[in-house]
Amino acid sequence: MHAEARQFVADQVAEHGPFDYVVEIGSRAVNGGVRDLFGKARYLGVDALPGPGVDVVGDGATLELDEQPDVIVC
């Protein structure tokens, strides 16, 4: 992840957080991630490929959730 993208997410979390439940679409941590920016929030990482930071392998466009998240990161 580019430093500028990570900083953008950090700024948004600081301005609009805290959040209780976060879903990230495209969560596979290739060059870092943003999960740590959300503190103790429940976090679901979704990606088409398995890897670090991925809790569910699948298509974020067709993802069915039992509960509405407070925020979606994409």
Side-chain angles (χ1 to χ4, degrees):
M1 170 169 293
H2 296 284
E4 294 83 0
R6 181 177 165 79
Q7 187 59 56
F8 175 80
V9 174
D11 293 345
Q12 298 308 305
V13 171
E15 183 175 342
H16 301 287
F19 301 104
D20 293 321
Y21 180 36
V22 180
V23 173
E24 181 181 5
I25 308 296
S27 64
R28 190 165 59 103
V30 176
N31 294 315
V34 295
R35 186 180 294 236
D36 62 302
L37 299 176
F38 291 90
K40 295 182 180 184
R42 290 180 298 131
Y43 202 98
L44 180 68
V46 181
D47 202 290
L49 298 172
V54 179
D55 302 306
V56 173
V57 176
D59 183 358
T62 59
L63 180 66
E64 294 185 23
L65 299 171
D66 295 333
E67 181 182 348
Q68 183 173 342
D70 297 315
V71 66
I72 296 174
V73 178
C74 182

